[in-house]
Amino acid sequence: MTWGSVQSDEMEAAEQLSLAWDYGVNFLDSAEAYPVPLAAETFGATDRAFAKWRRSVRMPRDRCVISTK
């Protein structure tokens, strides 16, 4: 899912992350190369969505794996 653009907003990103976590997903890939074409206004939006979600659910950083390219 591409976050930070017209595809999904922050609230939808948090809902998707929480649902994935509830189903056992603990590996998150924040690579910027997936939204094609790349856009300066959304650069880093996935990383920010992960961080905001982790803080909101009070998840310790060592409970999930975050990958980027």
Side-chain angles (χ1 to χ4, degrees):
M1 180 54 61
T2 302
W3 297 318
S5 69
V6 296
Q7 290 184 351
S8 290
D9 60 25
E10 284 187 4
M11 184 182 300
E12 291 170 325
E15 290 170 359
Q16 293 164 9
L17 286 164
S18 290
L19 182 64
W21 184 259
D22 290 346
Y23 277 89
V25 173
N26 71 341
F27 182 89
L28 307 172
D29 186 350
S30 68
E32 289 293 339
Y34 296 133
V36 176
L38 300 176
E41 61 272 8
T42 59
F43 193 78
T46 302
D47 295 315
R48 289 187 298 275
F50 287 167
K52 188 172 184 176
W53 170 74
R54 271 193 336 95
R55 283 191 304 272
S56 73
V57 297
R58 301 177 193 266
M59 178 184 297
R61 174 59 185 89
D62 63 355
R63 301 247 351 252
C64 62
V65 177
I66 299 175
S67 173
T68 190
K69 292 183 178 128

